[in-house]
């Protein structure tokens, strides 16, 4: 955790552990607050890099106590949708491959569109093959907002990030009213305004398998979204843009 000095790092480690514990045994309000603070602290300590992983490599588990990720993952089953949203966000900031597996499983069972969007955004931050496969499925079968978020996530994992701030995704209600998530929440601590945007990290290879020959499932999905009847013109254009980025 790059926070300037060991004293500050130790204090933030203790703060993370406090929020993890409160997420497990607090009241509903305590759990909501704990999950939200875990996400915010994750953004604050992550720095300026938009994505922690890549298409082929999941980010590392960076919790002070790596084993506590299992406790955070269990909170994805909370009956409260707001808590599930914030836990997904926190896992994106702190978790690794095991968190990506849990978020992928959440997308297979979750019906709430806002929770699904938070899971997609979290997978974008973690990266790795399991995250990419879940994002591919969201791009293929998700609704307009989910497909759009999944396409952007795939693009960012391939290129190293985009020139965006570190807000959580807007909810359906916020999108309908034209508000961003920042308009409706308290300001977040955000360290590092610079976002990276480099060349495609896997130019000339299969995004899913690394095989230069043949078409991988991700490429096939993008081609289907681009050509699918009933898909909005915007999503067809976005699918084509992401496909071109992946091909380098």
């Amino acid at each position: 955790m790059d926070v300037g000095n060991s004293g500050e790092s130790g204090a933030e480690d203790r703060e993370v552990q406090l929020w993890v514990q409160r997420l497990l045994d607090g009241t509903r309000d305590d759990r909501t607050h704990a999950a939200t603070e875990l996400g915010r602290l994750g953004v604050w300590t992550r720095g300026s890099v938009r994505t922690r992983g890549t298409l082929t490599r999941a980010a590392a588990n960076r919790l002070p106590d790596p084993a506590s990720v299992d406790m955070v993952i269990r909170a994805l089953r909370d009956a409260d949708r707001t808590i599930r949203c914030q836990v997904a966000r926190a896992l994106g900031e702190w978790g690794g491959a095991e968190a990506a597996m849990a978020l992928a499983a959440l997308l297979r069972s979750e019906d709430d569109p806002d929770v699904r969007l938070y899971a997609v955004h979290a997978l974008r931050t973690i990266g790795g093959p399991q995250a990419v496969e879940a994002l591919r499925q969201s791009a293929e079968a998700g609704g307009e907002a989910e497909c759009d978020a999944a396409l952007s996530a795939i693009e960012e994992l391939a290129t190293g990030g985009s020139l965006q701030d570190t807000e959580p995704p807007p909810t359906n209600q916020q999108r309908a009213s034209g508000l961003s998530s920042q308009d409706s929440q308290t300001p977040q601590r955000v360290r590092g305004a610079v976002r990276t945007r480099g060349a495609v990290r896997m130019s000339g290879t299969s995004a899913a398998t690394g095989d230069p020959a043949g078409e991988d499932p991700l490429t096939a999905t993008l081609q289907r979204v681009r050509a699918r009847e009933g898909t909005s013109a915007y999503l067809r254009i976005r699918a084509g843009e992401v496909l071109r980025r992946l091909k380098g």
Side-chain angles (χ1 to χ4, degrees), residues 56-92:
T56 57
R57 177 188 58 79
N61 177 342
R62 66 189 188 102
L63 284 165
D65 175 12
S68 64
V69 72
D70 291 334
M71 296 185 284
V72 182
I73 286 171
R74 286 203 299 272
L76 285 175
R77 299 194 293 267
D78 199 287
D80 189 292
R81 59 180 293 280
T82 301
I83 293 175
R84 296 200 304 280
C85 284
Q86 295 300 329
V87 168
R89 182 187 180 208
L91 285 171

mmCIF file of all heavy atoms in Angstrom, residues 56-92:
data_model
loop_
_atom_site.group_PDB
_atom_site.id
_atom_site.type_symbol
_atom_site.label_atom_id
_atom_site.label_comp_id
_atom_site.label_asym_id
_atom_site.label_seq_id
_atom_site.Cartn_x
_atom_site.Cartn_y
_atom_site.Cartn_z
ATOM 1 N N THR A 56 -5.307 -10.245 -18.982
ATOM 2 C CA THR A 56 -4.771 -11.580 -18.709
ATOM 3 C C THR A 56 -4.256 -11.766 -17.293
ATOM 4 O O THR A 56 -3.923 -12.891 -16.911
ATOM 5 C CB THR A 56 -3.619 -11.898 -19.675
ATOM 6 O OG1 THR A 56 -2.617 -10.883 -19.558
ATOM 7 C CG2 THR A 56 -4.123 -11.931 -21.119
ATOM 8 N N ARG A 57 -4.188 -10.702 -16.502
ATOM 9 C CA ARG A 57 -3.645 -10.807 -15.149
ATOM 10 C C ARG A 57 -4.560 -10.118 -14.159
ATOM 11 O O ARG A 57 -4.828 -8.929 -14.271
ATOM 12 C CB ARG A 57 -2.249 -10.168 -15.082
ATOM 13 C CG ARG A 57 -1.635 -10.175 -13.682
ATOM 14 C CD ARG A 57 -0.358 -9.356 -13.645
ATOM 15 N NE ARG A 57 -0.567 -7.973 -14.049
ATOM 16 C CZ ARG A 57 -1.079 -7.034 -13.245
ATOM 17 N NH1 ARG A 57 -1.475 -7.344 -12.016
ATOM 18 N NH2 ARG A 57 -1.219 -5.796 -13.694
ATOM 19 N N ALA A 58 -5.015 -10.888 -13.182
ATOM 20 C CA ALA A 58 -5.838 -10.302 -12.121
ATOM 21 C C ALA A 58 -4.949 -9.536 -11.149
ATOM 22 O O ALA A 58 -3.789 -9.899 -10.917
ATOM 23 C CB ALA A 58 -6.592 -11.392 -11.371
ATOM 24 N N ALA A 59 -5.485 -8.467 -10.595
ATOM 25 C CA ALA A 59 -4.766 -7.732 -9.560
ATOM 26 C C ALA A 59 -4.595 -8.604 -8.328
ATOM 27 O O ALA A 59 -5.328 -9.573 -8.106
ATOM 28 C CB ALA A 59 -5.533 -6.464 -9.202
ATOM 29 N N ALA A 60 -3.615 -8.267 -7.528
ATOM 30 C CA ALA A 60 -3.371 -9.004 -6.289
ATOM 31 C C ALA A 60 -4.351 -8.568 -5.203
ATOM 32 O O ALA A 60 -4.828 -7.429 -5.194
ATOM 33 C CB ALA A 60 -1.940 -8.781 -5.816
ATOM 34 N N ASN A 61 -4.638 -9.477 -4.290
ATOM 35 C CA ASN A 61 -5.381 -9.152 -3.079
ATOM 36 C C ASN A 61 -4.491 -8.227 -2.241
ATOM 37 O O ASN A 61 -3.382 -8.596 -1.879
ATOM 38 C CB ASN A 61 -5.688 -10.450 -2.328
ATOM 39 C CG ASN A 61 -6.390 -10.236 -1.001
ATOM 40 O OD1 ASN A 61 -6.389 -9.152 -0.439
ATOM 41 N ND2 ASN A 61 -6.975 -11.291 -0.476
ATOM 42 N N ARG A 62 -4.951 -7.017 -1.962
ATOM 43 C CA ARG A 62 -4.109 -6.070 -1.229
ATOM 44 C C ARG A 62 -4.667 -5.709 0.142
ATOM 45 O O ARG A 62 -4.253 -4.710 0.740
ATOM 46 C CB ARG A 62 -3.862 -4.817 -2.063
ATOM 47 C CG ARG A 62 -5.056 -3.956 -2.362
ATOM 48 C CD ARG A 62 -4.702 -2.874 -3.386
ATOM 49 N NE ARG A 62 -5.788 -1.919 -3.543
ATOM 50 C CZ ARG A 62 -5.801 -0.704 -2.984
ATOM 51 N NH1 ARG A 62 -4.787 -0.316 -2.238
ATOM 52 N NH2 ARG A 62 -6.809 0.117 -3.174
ATOM 53 N N LEU A 63 -5.599 -6.507 0.654
ATOM 54 C CA LEU A 63 -6.062 -6.289 2.020
ATOM 55 C C LEU A 63 -4.918 -6.517 2.999
ATOM 56 O O LEU A 63 -4.074 -7.400 2.780
ATOM 57 C CB LEU A 63 -7.220 -7.231 2.344
ATOM 58 C CG LEU A 63 -8.577 -6.871 1.752
ATOM 59 C CD1 LEU A 63 -9.534 -8.053 1.828
ATOM 60 C CD2 LEU A 63 -9.180 -5.661 2.455
ATOM 61 N N PRO A 64 -4.839 -5.753 4.088
ATOM 62 C CA PRO A 64 -3.770 -5.960 5.076
ATOM 63 C C PRO A 64 -3.725 -7.398 5.587
ATOM 64 O O PRO A 64 -2.639 -7.950 5.788
ATOM 65 C CB PRO A 64 -4.134 -4.974 6.194
ATOM 66 C CG PRO A 64 -4.913 -3.901 5.502
ATOM 67 C CD PRO A 64 -5.688 -4.594 4.420
ATOM 68 N N ASP A 65 -4.890 -8.001 5.780
ATOM 69 C CA ASP A 65 -4.993 -9.419 6.106
ATOM 70 C C ASP A 65 -5.658 -10.095 4.906
ATOM 71 O O ASP A 65 -6.883 -10.058 4.770
ATOM 72 C CB ASP A 65 -5.824 -9.634 7.374
ATOM 73 C CG ASP A 65 -6.058 -11.109 7.674
ATOM 74 O OD1 ASP A 65 -5.404 -11.956 7.038
ATOM 75 O OD2 ASP A 65 -6.913 -11.405 8.532
ATOM 76 N N PRO A 66 -4.878 -10.689 4.005
ATOM 77 C CA PRO A 66 -5.459 -11.232 2.771
ATOM 78 C C PRO A 66 -6.593 -12.224 3.007
ATOM 79 O O PRO A 66 -7.524 -12.301 2.201
ATOM 80 C CB PRO A 66 -4.261 -11.911 2.096
ATOM 81 C CG PRO A 66 -3.070 -11.163 2.608
ATOM 82 C CD PRO A 66 -3.415 -10.825 4.034
ATOM 83 N N ALA A 67 -6.538 -12.970 4.117
ATOM 84 C CA ALA A 67 -7.580 -13.958 4.386
ATOM 85 C C ALA A 67 -8.932 -13.319 4.656
ATOM 86 O O ALA A 67 -9.972 -13.971 4.514
ATOM 87 C CB ALA A 67 -7.174 -14.833 5.580
ATOM 88 N N SER A 68 -8.936 -12.036 5.020
ATOM 89 C CA SER A 68 -10.212 -11.386 5.341
ATOM 90 C C SER A 68 -11.061 -11.131 4.100
ATOM 91 O O SER A 68 -12.222 -10.747 4.225
ATOM 92 C CB SER A 68 -9.967 -10.073 6.098
ATOM 93 O OG SER A 68 -9.270 -9.145 5.299
ATOM 94 N N VAL A 69 -10.500 -11.353 2.902
ATOM 95 C CA VAL A 69 -11.321 -11.177 1.696
ATOM 96 C C VAL A 69 -12.514 -12.115 1.717
ATOM 97 O O VAL A 69 -13.585 -11.783 1.198
ATOM 98 C CB VAL A 69 -10.473 -11.372 0.415
ATOM 99 C CG1 VAL A 69 -10.094 -12.836 0.211
ATOM 100 C CG2 VAL A 69 -11.214 -10.839 -0.808
ATOM 101 N N ASP A 70 -12.366 -13.297 2.317
ATOM 102 C CA ASP A 70 -13.494 -14.232 2.390
ATOM 103 C C ASP A 70 -14.645 -13.639 3.190
ATOM 104 O O ASP A 70 -15.814 -13.865 2.867
ATOM 105 C CB ASP A 70 -13.049 -15.556 3.024
ATOM 106 C CG ASP A 70 -12.097 -16.335 2.133
ATOM 107 O OD1 ASP A 70 -12.156 -16.147 0.901
ATOM 108 O OD2 ASP A 70 -11.289 -17.118 2.661
ATOM 109 N N MET A 71 -14.318 -12.863 4.220
ATOM 110 C CA MET A 71 -15.360 -12.231 5.025
ATOM 111 C C MET A 71 -16.079 -11.153 4.224
ATOM 112 O O MET A 71 -17.291 -10.994 4.323
ATOM 113 C CB MET A 71 -14.757 -11.648 6.302
ATOM 114 C CG MET A 71 -14.171 -12.697 7.233
ATOM 115 S SD MET A 71 -13.598 -12.027 8.815
ATOM 116 C CE MET A 71 -12.065 -11.238 8.318
ATOM 117 N N VAL A 72 -15.326 -10.413 3.423
ATOM 118 C CA VAL A 72 -15.952 -9.388 2.586
ATOM 119 C C VAL A 72 -16.823 -10.040 1.523
ATOM 120 O O VAL A 72 -17.942 -9.588 1.247
ATOM 121 C CB VAL A 72 -14.880 -8.477 1.947
ATOM 122 C CG1 VAL A 72 -15.537 -7.382 1.120
ATOM 123 C CG2 VAL A 72 -13.989 -7.863 3.024
ATOM 124 N N ILE A 73 -16.334 -11.127 0.928
ATOM 125 C CA ILE A 73 -17.104 -11.834 -0.102
ATOM 126 C C ILE A 73 -18.435 -12.317 0.450
ATOM 127 O O ILE A 73 -19.467 -12.248 -0.229
ATOM 128 C CB ILE A 73 -16.273 -13.003 -0.668
ATOM 129 C CG1 ILE A 73 -15.166 -12.458 -1.577
ATOM 130 C CG2 ILE A 73 -17.159 -13.983 -1.438
ATOM 131 C CD1 ILE A 73 -14.163 -13.504 -2.025
ATOM 132 N N ARG A 74 -18.439 -12.784 1.695
ATOM 133 C CA ARG A 74 -19.698 -13.268 2.287
ATOM 134 C C ARG A 74 -20.750 -12.165 2.336
ATOM 135 O O ARG A 74 -21.952 -12.429 2.250
ATOM 136 C CB ARG A 74 -19.459 -13.823 3.695
ATOM 137 C CG ARG A 74 -18.771 -15.169 3.711
ATOM 138 C CD ARG A 74 -19.052 -15.926 5.002
ATOM 139 N NE ARG A 74 -18.566 -15.226 6.182
ATOM 140 C CZ ARG A 74 -17.343 -15.357 6.675
ATOM 141 N NH1 ARG A 74 -16.452 -16.135 6.080
ATOM 142 N NH2 ARG A 74 -16.980 -14.702 7.761
ATOM 143 N N ALA A 75 -20.297 -10.928 2.467
ATOM 144 C CA ALA A 75 -21.241 -9.811 2.543
ATOM 145 C C ALA A 75 -21.945 -9.549 1.208
ATOM 146 O O ALA A 75 -22.918 -8.791 1.174
ATOM 147 C CB ALA A 75 -20.521 -8.556 3.024
ATOM 148 N N LEU A 76 -21.477 -10.168 0.113
ATOM 149 C CA LEU A 76 -22.200 -10.050 -1.159
ATOM 150 C C LEU A 76 -23.585 -10.696 -1.077
ATOM 151 O O LEU A 76 -24.432 -10.442 -1.935
ATOM 152 C CB LEU A 76 -21.413 -10.720 -2.292
ATOM 153 C CG LEU A 76 -20.190 -9.979 -2.833
ATOM 154 C CD1 LEU A 76 -19.478 -10.859 -3.844
ATOM 155 C CD2 LEU A 76 -20.599 -8.647 -3.463
ATOM 156 N N ARG A 77 -23.807 -11.527 -0.062
ATOM 157 C CA ARG A 77 -25.102 -12.180 0.104
ATOM 158 C C ARG A 77 -26.040 -11.383 0.997
ATOM 159 O O ARG A 77 -27.150 -11.851 1.314
ATOM 160 C CB ARG A 77 -24.911 -13.586 0.685
ATOM 161 C CG ARG A 77 -24.074 -14.496 -0.196
ATOM 162 C CD ARG A 77 -24.186 -15.945 0.219
ATOM 163 N NE ARG A 77 -23.594 -16.187 1.534
ATOM 164 C CZ ARG A 77 -22.336 -16.571 1.736
ATOM 165 N NH1 ARG A 77 -21.526 -16.745 0.702
ATOM 166 N NH2 ARG A 77 -21.862 -16.776 2.951
ATOM 167 N N ASP A 78 -25.637 -10.198 1.418
ATOM 168 C CA ASP A 78 -26.483 -9.371 2.279
ATOM 169 C C ASP A 78 -27.831 -9.121 1.595
ATOM 170 O O ASP A 78 -27.912 -8.935 0.379
ATOM 171 C CB ASP A 78 -25.801 -8.042 2.575
ATOM 172 C CG ASP A 78 -26.380 -7.347 3.799
ATOM 173 O OD1 ASP A 78 -27.516 -6.832 3.708
ATOM 174 O OD2 ASP A 78 -25.706 -7.335 4.834
ATOM 175 N N ALA A 79 -28.898 -9.118 2.399
ATOM 176 C CA ALA A 79 -30.232 -8.895 1.837
ATOM 177 C C ALA A 79 -30.425 -7.473 1.335
ATOM 178 O O ALA A 79 -31.304 -7.222 0.495
ATOM 179 C CB ALA A 79 -31.298 -9.223 2.890
ATOM 180 N N ASP A 80 -29.618 -6.536 1.800
ATOM 181 C CA ASP A 80 -29.764 -5.138 1.425
ATOM 182 C C ASP A 80 -29.004 -4.862 0.130
ATOM 183 O O ASP A 80 -27.781 -5.053 0.059
ATOM 184 C CB ASP A 80 -29.238 -4.246 2.554
ATOM 185 C CG ASP A 80 -29.556 -2.782 2.330
ATOM 186 O OD1 ASP A 80 -28.987 -2.198 1.400
ATOM 187 O OD2 ASP A 80 -30.377 -2.232 3.092
ATOM 188 N N ARG A 81 -29.692 -4.377 -0.885
ATOM 189 C CA ARG A 81 -29.057 -4.143 -2.186
ATOM 190 C C ARG A 81 -27.973 -3.071 -2.121
ATOM 191 O O ARG A 81 -26.959 -3.153 -2.824
ATOM 192 C CB ARG A 81 -30.100 -3.749 -3.228
ATOM 193 C CG ARG A 81 -30.886 -2.486 -2.884
ATOM 194 C CD ARG A 81 -31.912 -2.127 -3.941
ATOM 195 N NE ARG A 81 -31.290 -1.725 -5.180
ATOM 196 C CZ ARG A 81 -30.793 -0.498 -5.395
ATOM 197 N NH1 ARG A 81 -30.835 0.422 -4.434
ATOM 198 N NH2 ARG A 81 -30.252 -0.198 -6.561
ATOM 199 N N THR A 82 -28.173 -2.044 -1.277
ATOM 200 C CA THR A 82 -27.175 -0.992 -1.149
ATOM 201 C C THR A 82 -25.866 -1.556 -0.611
ATOM 202 O O THR A 82 -24.773 -1.199 -1.071
ATOM 203 C CB THR A 82 -27.681 0.135 -0.230
ATOM 204 O OG1 THR A 82 -28.882 0.680 -0.782
ATOM 205 C CG2 THR A 82 -26.646 1.233 -0.083
ATOM 206 N N ILE A 83 -25.966 -2.449 0.365
ATOM 207 C CA ILE A 83 -24.768 -3.071 0.912
ATOM 208 C C ILE A 83 -24.098 -3.943 -0.146
ATOM 209 O O ILE A 83 -22.867 -3.920 -0.287
ATOM 210 C CB ILE A 83 -25.115 -3.883 2.173
ATOM 211 C CG1 ILE A 83 -25.573 -2.931 3.295
ATOM 212 C CG2 ILE A 83 -23.919 -4.727 2.628
ATOM 213 C CD1 ILE A 83 -26.060 -3.628 4.541
ATOM 214 N N ARG A 84 -24.876 -4.687 -0.920
ATOM 215 C CA ARG A 84 -24.280 -5.516 -1.964
ATOM 216 C C ARG A 84 -23.541 -4.649 -2.987
ATOM 217 O O ARG A 84 -22.458 -5.007 -3.455
ATOM 218 C CB ARG A 84 -25.345 -6.372 -2.664
ATOM 219 C CG ARG A 84 -26.015 -7.386 -1.753
ATOM 220 C CD ARG A 84 -26.678 -8.512 -2.511
ATOM 221 N NE ARG A 84 -27.669 -8.088 -3.492
ATOM 222 C CZ ARG A 84 -28.928 -7.733 -3.221
ATOM 223 N NH1 ARG A 84 -29.341 -7.740 -1.966
ATOM 224 N NH2 ARG A 84 -29.768 -7.396 -4.186
ATOM 225 N N CYS A 85 -24.124 -3.503 -3.344
ATOM 226 C CA CYS A 85 -23.448 -2.585 -4.263
ATOM 227 C C CYS A 85 -22.101 -2.143 -3.712
ATOM 228 O O CYS A 85 -21.067 -2.203 -4.405
ATOM 229 C CB CYS A 85 -24.316 -1.352 -4.516
ATOM 230 S SG CYS A 85 -25.726 -1.578 -5.622
ATOM 231 N N GLN A 86 -22.090 -1.699 -2.464
ATOM 232 C CA GLN A 86 -20.868 -1.156 -1.884
ATOM 233 C C GLN A 86 -19.835 -2.245 -1.610
ATOM 234 O O GLN A 86 -18.622 -1.993 -1.721
ATOM 235 C CB GLN A 86 -21.196 -0.381 -0.604
ATOM 236 C CG GLN A 86 -22.034 0.863 -0.825
ATOM 237 C CD GLN A 86 -21.357 1.868 -1.740
ATOM 238 O OE1 GLN A 86 -20.136 1.969 -1.777
ATOM 239 N NE2 GLN A 86 -22.154 2.608 -2.508
ATOM 240 N N VAL A 87 -20.285 -3.445 -1.280
ATOM 241 C CA VAL A 87 -19.345 -4.554 -1.088
ATOM 242 C C VAL A 87 -18.687 -4.912 -2.415
ATOM 243 O O VAL A 87 -17.475 -5.163 -2.475
ATOM 244 C CB VAL A 87 -20.064 -5.773 -0.484
ATOM 245 C CG1 VAL A 87 -19.178 -7.021 -0.539
ATOM 246 C CG2 VAL A 87 -20.465 -5.486 0.960
ATOM 247 N N ALA A 88 -19.468 -4.928 -3.493
ATOM 248 C CA ALA A 88 -18.885 -5.193 -4.812
ATOM 249 C C ALA A 88 -17.816 -4.161 -5.133
ATOM 250 O O ALA A 88 -16.722 -4.489 -5.607
ATOM 251 C CB ALA A 88 -19.980 -5.194 -5.880
ATOM 252 N N ARG A 89 -18.125 -2.908 -4.867
ATOM 253 C CA ARG A 89 -17.149 -1.848 -5.122
ATOM 254 C C ARG A 89 -15.882 -2.054 -4.286
ATOM 255 O O ARG A 89 -14.757 -1.903 -4.785
ATOM 256 C CB ARG A 89 -17.778 -0.495 -4.824
ATOM 257 C CG ARG A 89 -16.861 0.681 -5.115
ATOM 258 C CD ARG A 89 -17.481 1.965 -4.629
ATOM 259 N NE ARG A 89 -16.610 3.108 -4.900
ATOM 260 C CZ ARG A 89 -16.579 4.212 -4.193
ATOM 261 N NH1 ARG A 89 -17.386 4.338 -3.152
ATOM 262 N NH2 ARG A 89 -15.776 5.212 -4.500
ATOM 263 N N ALA A 90 -16.055 -2.381 -3.003
ATOM 264 C CA ALA A 90 -14.900 -2.599 -2.133
ATOM 265 C C ALA A 90 -14.051 -3.767 -2.618
ATOM 266 O O ALA A 90 -12.813 -3.711 -2.606
ATOM 267 C CB ALA A 90 -15.367 -2.844 -0.698
ATOM 268 N N LEU A 91 -14.686 -4.833 -3.074
ATOM 269 C CA LEU A 91 -13.932 -5.976 -3.590
ATOM 270 C C LEU A 91 -13.128 -5.582 -4.829
ATOM 271 O O LEU A 91 -12.018 -6.074 -5.039
ATOM 272 C CB LEU A 91 -14.873 -7.126 -3.911
ATOM 273 C CG LEU A 91 -15.411 -7.900 -2.706
ATOM 274 C CD1 LEU A 91 -16.504 -8.861 -3.131
ATOM 275 C CD2 LEU A 91 -14.280 -8.657 -2.003
ATOM 276 N N GLY A 92 -13.690 -4.707 -5.653
ATOM 277 C CA GLY A 92 -12.940 -4.232 -6.802
ATOM 278 C C GLY A 92 -11.673 -3.505 -6.404
ATOM 279 O O GLY A 92 -10.647 -3.598 -7.088
#
